[in-house]
């Protein structure tokens, strides 16, 4: 009797297919668990802490409540934008970005009535392609002052600050 190689090859193809299918299932389970963990809301920080003020700032921005975010800015802020400038700038910025972000408190340093809060922000850019998008992490630092209203932000990271005034080209400044 003559043996053929077809059954051995078929078994190899079926085995390869099962391993591939198993790998895909494991990846889908991992992706689903990652989404569940990433989607959880972090617990609120202590009420009268600089970190909680920064947390409330990000919550307000995430809810597109720029009026509430503005109330967390200190009156002692250098070059504080007007409410209108702040709201318009952040509303425009958020409407052009297709991102999701995770924010994690890194450090909170308090020195009397001044504090510095550093957070890491992981930004995920969404694209229409399957498995599309990209992700990167950056560090943002907030300075805060404690006043009668509690901890308020006295210096913002650059991406939340409107540009001061209009840009004037040199020829326009000289009348030409």
């Amino acid at each position: 009797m003559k043996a053929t190689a077809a059954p051995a090859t078929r078994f190899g193809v079926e085995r390869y297919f099962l391993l591939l299918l198993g790998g895909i299932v494991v990846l889908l389970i991992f992706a689903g668990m990652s989404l569940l963990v990433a989607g959880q809301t972090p617990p609120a920080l202590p009420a009268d802490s600089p970190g909680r003020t920064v947390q409330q700032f990000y919550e307000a921005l995430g809810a597109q409540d720029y009026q509430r975010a503005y109330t967390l800015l200190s009156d002692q802020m250098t070059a504080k934008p007007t409410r209108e400038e702040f709201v318009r700038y952040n509303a425009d910025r958020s409407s052009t970005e297709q991102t999701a972000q995770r924010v994690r408190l890194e450090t909170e340093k308090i020195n009397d009535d001044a504090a510095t809060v550093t957070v890491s922000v992981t930004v995920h850019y969404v694209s229409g392609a399957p498995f599309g998008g990209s992700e990167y992490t950056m560090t943002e630092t907030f300075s805060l002052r404690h006043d009668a209203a509690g901890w308020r932000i006295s210096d913002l990271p650059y991406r939340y600050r409107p540009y001061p005034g209009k840009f004037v080209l040199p020829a326009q400044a000289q009348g030409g």
Side-chain angles (χ1 to χ4, degrees), residues 111-124:
N111 186 11
D112 296 325
D113 67 342
T116 303
V117 174
T118 303
V119 295
S120 65
V121 180
T122 302
V123 178
H124 179 78

Side-chain angles (χ1 to χ4, degrees), residues 5 35 47-48 65 75 89 100 106 115 126-128 135 144:
L35 288 174
D48 190 30
D65 188 350
D75 289 335
Y89 174 78
E106 293 293 332
V126 180
S127 77
E135 185 174 280
L144 296 96

Side-chain angles (χ1 to χ4, degrees), residues 37-74:
V37 170
Q40 293 178 349
T41 304
L45 296 170
D48 190 30
S49 69
R52 179 62 184 143
T53 299
V54 172
Q55 189 178 41
Q56 289 174 326
F57 181 79
Y58 280 108
E59 289 169 357
L61 291 178
Q64 297 181 345
D65 188 350
Y66 308 112
Q67 299 284 343
R68 183 170 55 119
Y70 187 82
T71 66
L72 298 169
L73 303 183
S74 171

Side-chain angles (χ1 to χ4, degrees), residues 2 5 10 27 40 45 62 66 114 131 133 137 151 154 160 164 166 170:
K2 188 175 181 181
R10 184 171 178 196
L27 285 173
Q40 293 178 349
L45 296 170
Y66 308 112
F131 309 113
T137 300
W151 288 101
S154 59
Y160 307 111
K166 292 183 178 180

